[in-house]
Amino acid sequence: MSAERCIRAIDHLSYWSGKAFAWLIMALTFVVSIEVFKRYILNAPTAWIFDFNNMLYGTLFMMCGAYTLAAGGHVRADFVYIYLKPRAQAALDLTLYLLFFVPGILGLIYAGADYAALSWKIGEHSTVTAEGPPVYHFKTVIPVAGILVMLQGLGEILRCVTCLRTGVWPARLEDVEEIDVIDTQLSQSAYIDEESRRMAMEGAHAIDEAARHRSTGEPKDP
């Protein structure tokens, strides 16, 4: 399998896992809404709901890490990076991945697996709230999320190596962007005329372009 096909396959896995676990936000919204109704209308709060909410949000946060890395969405200090040529960017990224990312994520996987194994062994339950629910399945998310992030990190390393060889960054998978949603909403609104829609989309595109250059390091057109 070529490097670019391998990168593509890893990106697809990260995108799939991120989008699948993103549905947890719907579950979290539903659970919180039900608990608010029970607590303030029925005066019957659930003892373990705080733990459950933390588990839902924590799982969402951890399992979407690989997707965020695949989309180039993690925060980075780019005030120097954006002015570098692609090969220089790739060399810098590759160095940082090998020096910090790989050892750090390997440590997360190792420690997380040990953490989860011990939790399963003792049948651990939460002690934060009364009637604490079991947490061993939640702690298992730590090494699983670490493995997915590590796999995507290997894809990013391959992306760096490809850029060093060709001088061009391999393309990332495209996804539905917020600006696409804005365009759809404006085009279907009966209260926005064409000129207002055009001006709103020009402003949105300008903001999106600036954000894209900050996240990808591509030089702006003169």
Side-chain angles (χ1 to χ4, degrees):
M1 180 183 293
S2 67
E4 296 210 11
R5 288 183 63 185
C6 186
I7 292 170
R8 206 77 172 171
I10 293 172
D11 283 350
H12 275 294
L13 176 61
S14 296
Y15 270 57
W16 175 85
S17 64
K19 290 182 177 182
F21 280 93
W23 286 99
L24 287 179
I25 197 65
M26 299 295 292
L28 181 59
T29 302
F30 177 76
V31 169
V32 171
S33 300
I34 293 298
E35 180 59 20
V36 168
F37 177 78
K38 289 182 61 182
R39 181 179 296 268
Y40 294 104
I41 304 300
L42 304 180
N43 195 28
T46 307
W48 44 263
I49 200 67
F50 179 78
D51 287 309
F52 188 53
N53 288 341
N54 279 347
M55 291 180 193
L56 285 175
Y57 180 73
T59 301
L60 171 67
F61 181 84
M62 289 188 288
M63 294 302 292
C64 288
Y67 169 84
T68 307
L69 183 57
H74 286 293
V75 176
R76 63 189 306 158
D78 59 359
F79 55 91
V80 173
Y81 184 89
I82 58 174
Y83 298 105
L84 300 176
K85 298 294 184 182
R87 279 196 172 93
Q89 292 176 344
L92 178 60
D93 280 355
L94 182 60
T95 301
L96 294 176
Y97 274 116
L98 295 178
L99 287 180
F100 299 104
F101 178 89
V102 172
I105 299 300
L106 284 177
L108 173 67
I109 295 171
Y110 177 80
D114 187 61
Y115 198 44
L118 178 60
S119 185
W120 278 93
K121 184 177 180 179
I122 64 176
E124 184 179 9
H125 282 61
S126 173
T127 58
V128 175
T129 57
E131 303 176 18
V135 296
Y136 36 83
H137 56 286
F138 175 56
K139 289 188 175 182
T140 305
V141 172
I142 299 173
V144 173
I147 290 170
L148 287 173
V149 172
M150 173 58 77
L151 186 60
Q152 182 59 44
L154 295 178
E156 296 302 312
I157 290 173
L158 284 176
R159 185 172 266 113
C160 292
V161 172
T162 301
C163 182
L164 286 172
R165 189 176 68 250
T166 63
V168 178
W169 281 109
R172 293 187 182 274
L173 295 179
E174 294 185 1
D175 200 357
V176 176
E177 301 289 346
E178 186 174 356
I179 194 169
D180 300 323
V181 179
I182 295 173
D183 192 19
T184 301
Q185 291 175 337
L186 291 177
S187 64
Q188 295 177 355
S189 175
Y191 304 99
I192 303 293
D193 57 60
E194 186 60 30
E195 180 63 18
S196 298
R197 175 184 173 278
R198 183 186 63 79
M199 293 177 62
M201 287 307 302
E202 285 180 356
H205 275 294
I207 295 172
D208 182 68
E209 186 73 4
R212 185 174 67 84
H213 287 304
R214 287 197 300 270
S215 64
T216 63
E218 297 176 0
K220 293 184 179 181
D221 297 329

